[in-house]
Amino acid sequence: MRLRTVLGEVPVPDGPVLAHEHLRVDLREPAGRAPDPAALLDEETAVAGELAALRRSHGLAAVVELTCLGMGRDAAALARISERAGVAVVAATGFYHAAFHPSYVAGSSVADLTRRLLDEIENGLDGTAVRPGVIGEVGTSGPTPSGDEERCLQAAARAALHSDLPLATHAHLGRGGLAQLDVLTAGGVVPGRISIGHQDLLDDALTHRKIAEAGAYVAFDTIGKTSYQSDDVRLRRALDLIEAGHADRLLLSADVSRAGYLTKNGGGGYGTVLRSFAPRLAAAGVDETTLHLILHDNPVRFLTSGEAR
């Protein structure tokens, strides 16, 4: 098996994989809202340094970087960070939720949007030769997608089928994940190629089980963001999934999305899962084999296998 990374295709590396992060992102100007000057992450040296330190201390192997169209993506910067850190980085294409859609989305058909995604998949991102290894984070902002968001999901599904890339979503505050799954599977995407995002923001074990039972991945990917959700709740819900027999559907990450989350600025940084949350799972009785499944096997399977569960 091989990963499509910002430095080309590489053999799947050993070690943990963070399933939803941002290494370069700009969310300062959402449509219809006051600009947030802090919603920028543009510190290549600090980001590369954190990743390199995690590679040395915890064996970090790879990061799935889900900055897509409308989010300030910079594929050349991702390649520089990956090379400096010695950590594989998988880049993304896709459309985020409606507040960050490029202006052309509103007037585009599903076919138009699909063509844009396939152009990036086939020809490279941001004027570079870097090709994405994942479609995401395709977003919705409520319990059901808006019209534009639904077309973007449908386009993502078509692009996923054409390219055989996996697909990761942004379910705003954890809401709407089942509706996303319905749209994507109606478009023909196998659930095992889908990761439903931000489910750790939703204190709802039943929804998590439904997503897992359908065969999709349940992303607990904002770990450490305690202003949104307590990590105690995240831990309980993760243990619920594991105890229900769905450890093979769980993905973990921290979704570092602004400079304030970096360790140099007082945040938990990219090591939150490996330094804090995984040890808490172990202390709660999750064995090493299951932790390896969650931290390595699951994200690798999501990125590479397309299994039909």
Side-chain angles (χ1 to χ4, degrees), residues 214-301:
Y217 291 89
V218 184
F220 279 34
D221 53 15
T222 65
I223 292 168
K225 292 186 174 181
T226 54
S227 62
Y228 292 94
Q229 179 71 278
S230 162
D231 276 356
D232 292 339
V233 173
R234 292 183 171 100
L235 182 66
R236 288 198 300 273
R237 295 288 81 86
L239 292 171
D240 284 343
L241 265 182
I242 294 166
E243 290 164 5
H246 299 304
D248 64 339
R249 297 295 104 181
L250 180 60
L251 300 175
L252 300 179
S253 213
D255 189 24
V256 172
S257 54
R258 56 178 64 203
Y261 291 132
L262 298 177
T263 56
K264 72 180 278 287
N265 297 324
Y270 299 100
T272 301
V273 169
L274 301 178
R275 294 191 181 115
S276 174
F277 198 75
R280 290 190 69 183
L281 287 171
V286 179
D287 61 37
E288 285 295 323
T289 299
T290 303
L291 285 173
H292 186 270
L293 172 74
I294 294 167
L295 293 170
H296 175 78
D297 297 351
N298 289 353
V300 167
R301 191 188 323 111

Side-chain angles (χ1 to χ4, degrees), residues 13-17 51-62 86-87 274 296:
D14 293 329
V17 178
L51 298 183
L54 286 168
R55 174 178 52 78
R56 293 189 295 268
S57 64
H58 290 78
L60 178 65
V87 172
L274 301 178
H296 175 78

Side-chain angles (χ1 to χ4, degrees), residues 116-292:
R116 287 183 182 270
L117 297 181
L118 290 176
D119 179 66
E120 293 207 323
I121 291 166
E122 294 165 2
N123 299 314
L125 305 173
D126 310 326
T128 74
V130 171
R131 297 174 66 200
V134 62
I135 298 170
E137 57 181 298
V138 184
T140 59
S141 49
T144 58
S146 70
D148 287 351
E149 289 170 344
E150 184 164 2
R151 292 202 317 282
C152 288
L153 285 166
Q154 291 168 339
R158 291 187 186 184
L161 290 175
H162 189 276
S163 64
D164 197 31
L165 291 185
L167 198 159
T169 77
H170 165 97
H172 197 62
L173 300 178
R175 301 173 300 170
L178 288 170
Q180 292 178 338
L181 189 58
D182 285 345
V183 173
L184 295 171
T185 55
V189 184
V190 174
R193 298 256 75 187
I194 300 167
S195 166
I196 301 297
H198 306 328
Q199 291 307 290
D200 54 325
L201 298 178
L202 191 68
D203 187 6
D204 184 348
L206 179 59
T207 292
H208 299 158
R209 287 199 300 272
K210 286 181 177 179
I211 293 169
E213 287 165 359
Y217 291 89
V218 184
F220 279 34
D221 53 15
T222 65
I223 292 168
K225 292 186 174 181
T226 54
S227 62
Y228 292 94
Q229 179 71 278
S230 162
D231 276 356
D232 292 339
V233 173
R234 292 183 171 100
L235 182 66
R236 288 198 300 273
R237 295 288 81 86
L239 292 171
D240 284 343
L241 265 182
I242 294 166
E243 290 164 5
H246 299 304
D248 64 339
R249 297 295 104 181
L250 180 60
L251 300 175
L252 300 179
S253 213
D255 189 24
V256 172
S257 54
R258 56 178 64 203
Y261 291 132
L262 298 177
T263 56
K264 72 180 278 287
N265 297 324
Y270 299 100
T272 301
V273 169
L274 301 178
R275 294 191 181 115
S276 174
F277 198 75
R280 290 190 69 183
L281 287 171
V286 179
D287 61 37
E288 285 295 323
T289 299
T290 303
L291 285 173
H292 186 270

